[in-house]
Amino acid sequence: MKDVTPLTDGWTLRHDQVRLPAVVPGCVHTDLHAAGIIPDPYLGLNETELDWVGRRSWTYFTDLAHDNDHERSDLVFDGLDTAATITLDGRELGSTRNMHRSYRFDVTGAAGLLEVSFDSAYDEAESVRALTGDRPNVYPEPSQYIRKMACNFGWDWGPTLVTAGIWRPVRLEHWSTARIASVRPLVTVEGGAGRIEVRLLAERTSGGRGRRLVASASVKGVRTEVAFEDDEAVLLLEVEDPRLWWPRGYGEQHLYRLDVELCDENGVLDSWERKIGFRALELDRSADEHGSGFTLVVNGERIFARGVNWIPDDAFPSRITAERYRTRLQQAADANIDLIRVWGGGIYEDDAFYGVCDELGLMVWQDFLFACSAYPEEQPLRGEVEAEARDNVVRLMPHPSLVLWNGNNENLWGFRDWGWEPELAGDSWGEGYYLGLLPRLVAELDPTRPYAAGSPWSGSWDHHPNDPAHGTFHSWEVWNRQDYSEYRSSVPRFVAEFGWQAPPAMATIRRALPGEELAPDSPGMLHHQKAEDGNGKLNRGVARHFDLPENDFDRWHYLTQVVQARAVAAGIEHWRSHWPVCAGTVVWQLNDCWPVSSWAAIDGDGRLKPLYHELRRVYADKLMTLQPGDEGLVLAVINQSATEWRTSVTLRLLEADGSIVHRGVHEVTVGGRSVLRFPVPGELVPAEQSAKEFLVADADGLRALHFPVRDKDFAYPRPDYDVTVEEVAGKRDTVDVVVSAHTLLRDLLLQADRLDPRAAVDQGLRTLLPGEQARFRVTGCSSVDAKRARSALFCSDTR
C-alpha cells in the first residue's frame, strides 16, 4: 500500500543571510510578518512599503530523509507560487511556472537538503512578455504573462501583494508496482437510474510494467471490478433509484461515498475516495422571442439562480482554512444564496471549498483563470494553460455542486469594447483558449457539465458579447455612471455581474486604520479604496438621494451602506420579477480579501454589511416588490418555492405622518416557481412627485415600499422613537435592542460593531411605521444600555 508522509514541519526561509522559520503551506509575506521583518500589510498604508517583497527571489529549504522499502518515492507539491526551481542534495529536480498546478518529482533513493527557490513573479512575467510581445490589460501589471493569481497584482478591491511560496501542501509518496494517477468519475442520471463511469489512470514502476492489475469501484452497496494490463481501466456502476443531489431550496443534498482501489495479487496498492452526488444537469441556451436564454436546469427543474461572485477570501490564500471556508459559505447559504461564481482572477479553490458547497447545496460556477486581460496563446503559456486546465477539471469534477465551467471573465467583451481589437493587430489574445482549447478539454474530460466561453458572452460573435438579450450580461454602467433606478431599464437573460460599493463596518475600519482621524478622503480611507474614482462614485450615488454629509463621517458611512443595499436590492427585485425571461443574478461580490471599500456584502474582517441582510431578504423564496415603469406601478409577487402561495396583500397609501389615505386588500395566488404581476389600483398610487405620500404593501410578514421622490425631497417627520434593552434569558452576551417608532423611520439600522467590535446583529435595514416595533438581537456584547444602543442606531433622516 502507498505510504504518504506530509512535509509540513522543519522548513526555513532564507532572507538575505538570515534564516527564518517558515510555515508550509504559507508564503513569504506571512513568514516575514511572523518574524517581525515586515508590518501587517493590511493596516494603514503598509502595503505601499512592501513592493520589494514581490520583486526579489526567495528560497525555502528543509532536510529530506530517505527511509522506506518501496520501489518509488515521489515528492509531490499541490501548489507552488509560482516560478520555482527545486533541487535535492544539489541535483535539480525540475522547475515550475504555474501556481495553479500540482507537481510530482521522482526522488527515489535520494536524500539531503531540499531547496525550493522562487524567482520574482515580475521577472518571470517580463521574460514571457519578451517572448510573446505586449498585450492590453485593464491594470498596469503583468498578470497575463504568468499563471498566477491575477489579483495578487492588485485589483479594484485588492492590494498589490505579489506572493511567493509553497502555498499548498507538500508530501512524500512511497509506492511500489503501481499507483492511481487520476480518477475521473462521470456521474449521470437517466430514467431514474444513476450511472457512474469511472475512468482510472494508473502509473507503474519499471517492475510493474505489464503486470495484471485489478481496479475496483463501489458506491451505495454496488461494486464492480476490472482486470487490466495497460495503464487505463473503465468501471461502470449502475445505481437504481438513487436519492438525488439538489441545489439548496429545491431538495436535499444526498451524497454517496465512491471508493476506488487498485490491487495486484498481493493486495491493495492504492486507493481513492470522494463524495459524489447524482443529478441531471443542463444549460438551456435556446432562442425565444426575447433573444437567447441562459437557464440552469437541475434534475429537470428550471432555476432562477440567486448568486454571488466569490474572490479569494484572503490576499494570502494559504491562510484560508477549511473552517473559514465553511463559515463564509454557511453565511452565503443563510442569505438564501444558491450559486457561487468562482471568479477568474483568483484561484481554483481548495477541495474543502467545493466539499462545503456539496453539503450546503450551493451550485458552483467555476471560471477558468483568465480575467480582464488579453492573454498570449504562444508557448510557454499555452502548454501551462492546458496542463492547468487538465489538472483542475480532473480534480474538481467529482463535486456535484460544480454546475458550469466558464472560459474567462470579461475578455471577449474587452476585445470588442475596450480598444483591444486594433491594438492587438492580429496577435493572439485568448480567443483560442475560450473557443478552442478549453471547450475541447471539457468535452474530453468532463462531458457531464456545460461550458460557457466567457462572462459576459452572448453565445457567438453574431451578437455583441454583452448583449442583455443573449446569454450572460455584466451591468456596470449603473455603478459607474447612473442611478441604481436604471437597473429597471432592461431585462437581461442572466445578470452575471453587477454591484455597488460601500465601506466596511466601522470596527473593521478602525482596526485597519488605527489612530486615523476618519474622513471619506483621509489617507487611510483613500488607500483602502482601490476603485477608479471610487469615492466620487460613492458620493454621487449618495447625492442623488440624500444631502451629501459634510464633516460627518458617521453619517456618510451609514448613507453609503444604505445606498449599496438599496441599489443591489433594486436590481434583484426588478430582475426576479421578470422570471423566466431573466434566469439569474450574480451579485458582485460576496466577500473581501482585506479591509477595503468594495462591492462586498461581507467585509474583509468577516463582518456583515447591510447589503448582506438585504440579500437574505431579496433572495428569499417569497418576495414582494413594487416596480414603477412604463406600465405604471406594478406589484410583483414572487414565489420560488415549490408549492402554491396563497396570501392576502394589504396595500396602504400613507402620508408621511403615517395617516392612511387609501387602503386595499388583494387575495393573490402564485404558483410554485412563478411570478404574479398586477397593476396597483390607481387610487393607491402615490401622486407623481408627491413629497408626502408613499405606498406600503404587506403580506405574510413581507413588506414592499414605494416612495415617488428621492429621500432628500420627501417630507420626513423628525424621527421619534424609544429604545429599550432586554436581556435574553439563557444566552450569554446577548441582548435585544427594541425600537418603538412614534414616526416613520426609514432604513433604520443598528450598527452593532459600534457597541463592541465582537458584536453582531441579526438584521439590517428596517422601515417602521408609527406605532411599529423592531427587535434587534445583538450577540457578542454585554453591558448595553438604551443610551449606548441609541448611539449605534441610524435612519434615513436623523435631523
Side-chain angles (χ1 to χ4, degrees):
M1 184 70 173
K2 180 175 70 177
D3 292 331
V4 178
T5 304
L7 298 178
T8 55
D9 299 326
W11 287 91
T12 302
L13 172 66
R14 183 181 297 125
H15 172 57
D16 296 329
Q17 301 306 311
V18 179
R19 296 186 174 189
L20 306 175
V23 174
V24 171
C27 75
V28 171
H29 288 80
T30 52
D31 289 331
L32 293 175
H33 180 233
I37 304 296
I38 64 172
D40 187 335
Y42 289 3
L43 301 187
L45 309 183
N46 291 344
E47 175 204 353
T48 60
E49 303 172 14
L50 303 179
D51 181 69
W52 62 273
V53 177
R55 295 185 181 275
R56 55 163 292 175
S57 58
W58 300 93
T59 300
Y60 286 81
F61 54 94
T62 190
D63 289 317
L64 193 67
H66 174 71
D67 182 20
N68 74 92
D69 297 324
H70 282 283
E71 294 178 71
R72 173 84 172 263
S73 295
D74 288 342
L75 175 64
V76 183
F77 293 94
D78 285 339
L80 292 169
D81 176 18
T82 293
T85 301
I86 299 93
T87 60
L88 177 59
D89 195 29
R91 177 174 68 90
E92 183 175 324
L93 299 177
S95 60
T96 73
R97 59 196 327 158
N98 193 325
M99 179 181 182
H100 308 302
R101 291 179 56 188
S102 59
Y103 295 93
R104 179 178 294 267
F105 303 101
D106 185 350
V107 293
T108 305
L113 183 66
L114 173 63
E115 295 187 66
V116 184
S117 298
F118 293 93
D119 291 333
S120 160
Y122 283 104
D123 290 346
E124 167 68 12
E126 292 305 329
S127 69
V128 172
R129 192 207 298 257
L131 293 173
T132 65
D134 286 334
R135 300 293 192 283
N137 185 340
V138 170
Y139 299 100
E141 294 279 341
S143 60
Q144 72 266 53
Y145 306 104
I146 183 171
R147 295 310 298 158
K148 176 177 172 59
M149 185 169 87
C151 60
N152 256 178
F153 292 93
W155 220 261
D156 55 6
W157 38 259
T160 301
L161 295 167
V162 179
T163 54
I166 305 170
W167 78 288
R168 278 186 165 156
V170 55
R171 62 190 176 276
L172 280 172
E173 293 187 1
H174 307 292
W175 53 283
S176 298
T177 305
R179 70 174 187 91
I180 296 174
S182 68
V183 174
R184 290 191 295 117
L186 303 173
V187 183
T188 54
V189 178
E190 188 172 346
R195 186 176 189 270
I196 310 173
E197 179 182 305
V198 180
R199 292 189 165 269
L200 180 146
L201 179 64
E203 182 182 9
R204 298 171 180 262
T205 64
S206 56
R209 295 197 184 282
R211 293 179 60 175
R212 181 178 182 272
L213 300 176
V214 175
S216 66
S218 62
V219 66
K220 198 178 179 289
V222 178
R223 186 179 185 278
T224 189
E225 66 177 43
V226 63
F228 65 106
E229 295 180 353
D230 53 11
D231 294 336
E232 291 188 76
V234 179
L235 303 101
L236 297 177
L237 293 162
E238 300 279 351
V239 179
E240 294 298 322
D241 298 320
R243 302 177 75 185
L244 299 180
W245 183 95
W246 286 93
R248 64 164 304 282
Y250 290 82
E252 308 235 341
Q253 291 76 51
H254 296 291
L255 299 171
Y256 296 93
R257 175 169 160 161
L258 172 64
D259 288 285
V260 178
E261 289 187 337
L262 180 66
C263 306
D264 66 1
E265 67 273 13
N266 297 315
V268 177
L269 298 170
D270 200 356
S271 63
W272 178 99
E273 63 88 13
R274 295 289 189 278
K275 288 183 177 179
I276 57 98
F278 293 97
R279 82 281 186 277
L281 184 62
E282 302 172 61
L283 178 62
D284 184 354
R285 290 182 267 202
S286 58
D288 57 26
E289 69 272 25
H290 305 286
S292 48
F294 194 91
T295 304
L296 287 163
V297 185
V298 181
N299 300 328
E301 190 76 61
R302 300 175 71 80
I303 290 175
F304 181 96
R306 295 169 278 190
V308 288
N309 282 272
W310 171 277
I311 66 169
D313 206 50
D314 200 306
F316 308 124
S318 59
R319 299 200 297 200
I320 307 171
T321 62
E323 293 75 20
R324 184 159 156 187
Y325 276 131
R326 184 170 293 277
T327 295
R328 201 69 72 241
L329 292 168
Q330 185 64 60
Q331 288 171 322
D334 290 344
N336 298 310
I337 290 159
D338 60 21
L339 182 141
I340 308 284
R341 177 189 171 208
V342 182
W343 168 74
I347 59 176
Y348 303 98
E349 299 289 342
D350 188 81
D351 278 301
F353 171 93
Y354 304 92
V356 175
C357 290
D358 293 341
E359 294 175 25
L360 296 179
L362 294 169
M363 297 178 288
V364 177
W365 159 334
Q366 177 67 57
D367 280 11
F368 287 101
L369 301 185
F370 304 89
C372 300
S373 303
Y375 286 81
E377 298 175 37
E378 293 80 16
Q379 298 292 13
L381 288 178
R382 187 175 184 85
E384 289 295 338
V385 166
E386 177 166 355
E388 166 192 320
R390 288 183 176 277
D391 199 341
N392 287 284
V393 169
V394 171
R395 176 171 72 90
L396 300 181
M397 61 185 290
H399 294 281
S401 57
L402 179 58
V403 298
L404 179 69
W405 294 106
N406 180 60
N408 74 89
N409 177 74
E410 298 190 341
N411 295 341
L412 295 160
W413 183 20
F415 177 76
R416 178 55 51 85
D417 269 5
W418 300 350
W420 294 3
E421 194 166 359
E423 184 178 345
L424 287 163
D427 288 338
S428 68
W429 55 274
E431 182 183 27
Y433 296 147
Y434 319 136
L435 299 179
L437 175 65
L438 294 175
R440 186 169 67 249
L441 291 178
V442 171
E444 172 195 340
L445 299 171
D446 186 18
T448 68
R449 287 182 178 87
Y451 169 86
S455 184
W457 180 234
S458 297
S460 76
W461 288 114
D462 293 338
H463 306 287
H464 186 280
N466 201 32
D467 186 337
H470 299 276
T472 51
F473 178 71
H474 288 196
S475 177
W476 284 117
E477 282 299 298
V478 173
W479 155 252
N480 284 317
R481 296 175 180 86
Q482 301 168 343
D483 182 55
Y484 59 74
S485 61
E486 291 301 312
Y487 285 133
R488 302 190 188 106
S489 65
S490 68
V491 181
R493 305 312 303 268
F494 193 106
V495 186
E497 276 192 25
F498 79 107
W500 203 276
Q501 267 204 357
M506 185 62 73
T508 300
I509 294 173
R510 294 201 179 279
R511 187 193 72 81
L513 306 177
E516 180 162 311
E517 184 176 345
L518 295 176
D521 59 352
S522 60
M525 286 297 296
L526 289 179
H527 182 71
H528 289 250
Q529 165 60 278
K530 297 296 186 179
E532 182 181 0
D533 190 30
N535 271 19
K537 293 170 185 175
L538 281 176
N539 290 340
R540 289 189 290 276
V542 169
R544 292 184 186 109
H545 297 268
F546 301 92
D547 292 326
L548 189 64
E550 294 183 10
N551 303 318
D552 188 345
F553 183 78
D554 288 345
R555 176 87 175 143
W556 178 87
H557 177 267
Y558 161 76
L559 290 178
T560 53
Q561 293 205 326
V562 167
V563 172
Q564 179 189 40
R566 281 195 195 175
V568 172
I572 293 174
E573 289 184 6
H574 167 65
W575 293 319
R576 279 193 73 184
S577 76
H578 287 279
W579 162 259
V581 177
C582 180
T585 57
V586 188
V587 177
W588 187 269
Q589 63 211 67
L590 176 68
N591 58 326
D592 266 328
C593 65
W594 76 313
V596 65
S597 292
S598 86
W599 298 264
I602 304 172
D603 76 17
D605 281 6
R607 293 187 175 92
L608 309 180
K609 294 184 187 179
L611 171 59
Y612 172 86
H613 298 285
E614 200 68 353
L615 286 178
R616 186 172 60 188
R617 180 184 72 83
V618 297
Y619 272 163
D621 279 351
K622 296 177 180 178
L623 174 69
M624 289 195 310
T625 177
L626 289 161
Q627 293 290 314
D630 294 339
E631 54 192 313
L633 188 61
V634 169
L635 177 68
V637 186
I638 301 161
N639 179 21
Q640 204 161 341
S641 71
T643 58
E644 184 180 83
W645 182 18
R646 293 176 178 268
T647 189
S648 296
V649 180
T650 301
L651 291 164
R652 286 177 288 170
L653 177 63
L654 301 177
E655 291 194 339
D657 63 3
S659 58
I660 298 176
V661 179
H662 288 290
R663 182 179 184 273
V665 177
H666 293 260
E667 302 298 326
V668 299
T669 301
V670 191
R673 320 290 193 206
S674 62
V675 176
L676 175 67
R677 295 169 60 92
F678 64 87
V680 174
E683 68 272 14
L684 290 166
V685 177
E688 189 175 350
Q689 297 303 309
S690 171
K692 294 184 178 181
E693 292 183 340
F694 65 105
L695 180 62
V696 180
D698 290 300
D700 295 350
L702 306 179
R703 171 168 284 176
L705 297 163
H706 171 66
F707 288 78
V709 296
R710 302 170 300 178
D711 291 73
K712 62 184 178 182
D713 297 326
F714 192 76
Y716 286 111
R718 185 178 298 276
D720 184 13
Y721 56 92
D722 295 327
V723 180
T724 59
V725 178
E726 301 175 3
E727 292 186 2
V728 179
K731 292 187 179 291
R732 186 179 178 184
D733 293 341
T734 301
V735 298
D736 282 348
V737 176
V738 182
V739 178
S740 301
H742 303 301
T743 61
L744 171 64
L745 302 177
R746 189 173 183 195
D747 286 332
L748 181 69
L749 178 68
L750 175 62
Q751 295 188 352
D753 60 290
R754 289 177 179 269
L755 302 173
D756 189 304
R758 301 168 301 164
V761 66
D762 65 342
Q763 57 192 302
L765 303 173
R766 291 285 303 276
T767 293
L768 301 183
L769 306 179
E772 292 184 337
Q773 192 177 81
R775 182 175 293 268
F776 297 90
R777 178 149 295 183
V778 179
T779 56
C781 184
S782 58
S783 304
V784 178
D785 58 25
K787 183 178 180 180
R788 283 190 64 212
R790 186 179 282 270
S791 71
L793 284 163
F794 295 81
C795 66
S796 289
D797 189 0
T798 55
R799 291 175 297 169

